[in-house]
Amino acid sequence: MADLDDPYTPTTSTSTSSSPAPPSAAPSATTDTAPTEPGSDERARALLAAHPVIDGHNSLARTLRHTGPHDLELGEAALDTDLPRIRAGGIGGQFWSLVVPGQAVDQNRAISSTLELIDRVRSLISDCPEGLRLALNTADLADARNRGRVASLLGPVAGAALGDSIGTLRGYHTLGVRCVALAGAGWAADGLTRFGQEMVREMNRLGVLIDLSGTTSATARATLAVAKAPVLLSHSAARALTDHPANAADDVLELLPANRGVCMVSFAPEQVTRPAGRPSVRDVADHVEHVREVAGPESVGLSGTYGLEAGGPRTTGLEDTSRYPRLIAELLDRGWDETDLAALTWGNAARVVRDTEFAARAAQQRRGPSTATIEDLDTR
């Protein structure tokens, strides 16, 4: 079985659907005009061919609930995500978000809506066998990479969509979900209740990644105190640079190295904006460098936060999934070496998946499935 650190060597295929996209599949007309050193774009594309990106958060499934069918294989200009642009962007792994807005209002509806999104993502994967592969474990992640497919991970699911039920968590896991966001769950509102602690332990036992994006610092610290596996922040920039509730404060970033967790820096304009002017690729690079400075090079990753309709607010230079080479070129111009860039794009996120799986195997030797309920732990 190929190791996750093996070079990216896609198998040869006669299918045109698995071939790299031509340059015309990439960029919208709006681009970041910052100069780069000669050859930096070419170096960026070469690096991404060897070390593709694992992207932390794409909400295409949610967008498709109101836009209707989308030709992911051929590409459509109405949305920012399709396989030609994914290939042009050097994306080798994708977390497909299953979060539905407003889930905390009605937990029953939250569960049914999440199930619909799971079904939609699994249908997208089955409809694109030459482009996507469902990734349920470390071996799937490595195999998809080596075959030139995009390893597709289901999640995050919103904490509110668990229905305050550990059994529901296990049901999602059976359906292939491998990441759950704690934000929005009552037992993780500002810290963790006793039931929240038990939910974290069960996620560790199952091998479900814990997503701390959007949680309070108190919840993040409480989770890190309990968790036996690395955590993930699927779409969080640095709060020290942009004060946004989904961003991570420095006191949380400082705790990531001990946990071996990863903050995947969001490209969303509202998360990287500065007081003056529209955010650009340079601003995202500033956030990436801040996270690296505070948390270390092994605790930073990338999150395009794509999956949206075209025409909405965008970070200049990072308008769609084809634009990752532009950010890598910017970081190369800032002196990043290949080792740190390889960790940023693929290595750190892949390690979190692998270490979470290893932690689950160890936990399953110590304890069986939890039968605790919120009534047992939080209302006595």
Side-chain angles (χ1 to χ4, degrees):
M1 180 60 64
D3 184 79
L4 287 176
D5 295 324
D6 286 348
Y8 181 45
T9 52
T11 56
T12 302
S13 173
T14 57
S15 169
T16 57
S17 63
S18 61
S19 301
S24 60
S28 60
T30 305
T31 59
D32 182 49
T33 57
T36 61
E37 295 177 0
S40 58
D41 287 340
E42 291 77 9
R43 292 167 60 206
R45 293 184 186 281
L47 188 141
L48 287 168
H51 309 288
V53 171
I54 296 179
D55 181 280
H57 194 273
N58 187 298
S59 56
L60 178 64
R62 184 176 75 196
T63 301
L64 292 179
R65 296 181 75 215
H66 57 85
T67 62
H70 176 51
D71 193 335
L72 191 66
E73 187 67 52
L74 295 180
E76 295 179 3
L79 301 176
D80 63 16
T81 300
D82 53 44
L83 278 171
R85 284 179 286 181
I86 284 173
R87 293 186 183 109
I91 297 173
Q94 180 66 68
F95 283 88
W96 297 100
S97 174
L98 303 169
V99 175
V100 177
Q103 287 185 333
V105 176
D106 182 346
Q107 286 190 338
N108 289 332
R109 182 56 186 160
I111 294 171
S112 62
S113 296
T114 301
L115 292 173
E116 290 170 3
L117 291 184
I118 293 171
D119 181 67
R120 189 177 297 272
V121 173
R122 294 193 68 129
S123 294
L124 284 174
I125 295 169
S126 64
D127 288 344
C128 301
E130 296 299 314
L132 304 178
R133 170 161 181 182
L134 180 65
L136 300 177
N137 51 43
T138 302
D140 290 341
L141 194 64
D143 190 58
R145 174 179 175 175
N146 290 333
R147 293 176 182 272
R149 309 297 193 265
V150 178
S152 298
L153 299 109
L154 300 187
V157 161
L162 296 178
D164 297 334
S165 167
I166 290 176
T168 300
L169 168 67
R170 285 196 288 269
Y172 284 140
H173 180 265
T174 299
L175 292 174
V177 171
R178 292 299 180 266
C179 184
V180 169
L182 301 193
W187 37 265
D190 195 26
L192 290 176
T193 67
R194 290 177 63 206
F195 179 75
Q197 294 172 13
E198 185 68 3
M199 187 71 83
V200 166
R201 295 187 188 100
E202 187 66 8
M203 290 179 194
N204 284 170
R205 192 193 71 82
L206 289 170
V208 172
L209 280 70
I210 298 170
D211 180 6
L212 295 179
S213 283
T215 63
T216 65
S217 290
T219 297
R221 290 194 298 270
T223 303
L224 288 165
V226 175
K228 301 299 183 184
V231 301
L232 195 72
L233 288 88
S234 71
H235 60 293
S236 294
R239 191 172 295 180
L241 301 185
T242 304
D243 188 10
H244 186 279
N247 289 348
D250 282 1
D251 65 328
V252 173
L253 295 175
E254 290 167 352
L255 297 175
L256 288 182
N259 170 265
R260 303 198 77 204
V262 172
C263 177
M264 308 184 81
V265 177
S266 173
F267 300 175
E270 66 273 14
Q271 291 182 249
V272 297
T273 191
R274 300 296 178 90
R278 181 180 176 186
S280 73
V281 65
R282 294 185 296 272
D283 295 302
V284 173
D286 288 346
H287 280 263
V288 170
E289 292 201 309
H290 183 88
V291 172
R292 182 178 70 159
E293 179 181 352
V294 176
E298 294 186 349
S299 292
V300 59
L302 298 174
S303 181
T305 326
Y306 294 120
L308 307 174
E309 292 184 73
R314 302 298 166 120
T315 295
T316 302
L318 297 170
E319 293 84 2
D320 59 49
T321 54
S322 72
R323 303 298 287 172
Y324 268 104
R326 184 65 194 85
L327 176 61
I328 301 305
E330 173 71 22
L331 295 173
L332 283 166
D333 287 346
R334 295 184 181 207
W336 282 54
D337 61 28
E338 183 172 348
T339 298
D340 281 358
L341 286 169
L344 174 75
T345 57
W346 179 275
N348 291 339
R351 173 183 48 75
V352 169
V353 173
R354 182 189 64 224
D355 288 357
T356 297
E357 187 175 341
F358 289 169
R361 292 174 186 168
Q364 289 163 15
Q365 299 299 314
R366 298 191 305 270
R367 54 179 284 170
S370 175
T371 58
T373 67
I374 194 167
E375 291 80 12
D376 290 336
L377 297 181
D378 286 357
T379 59
R380 287 183 175 180

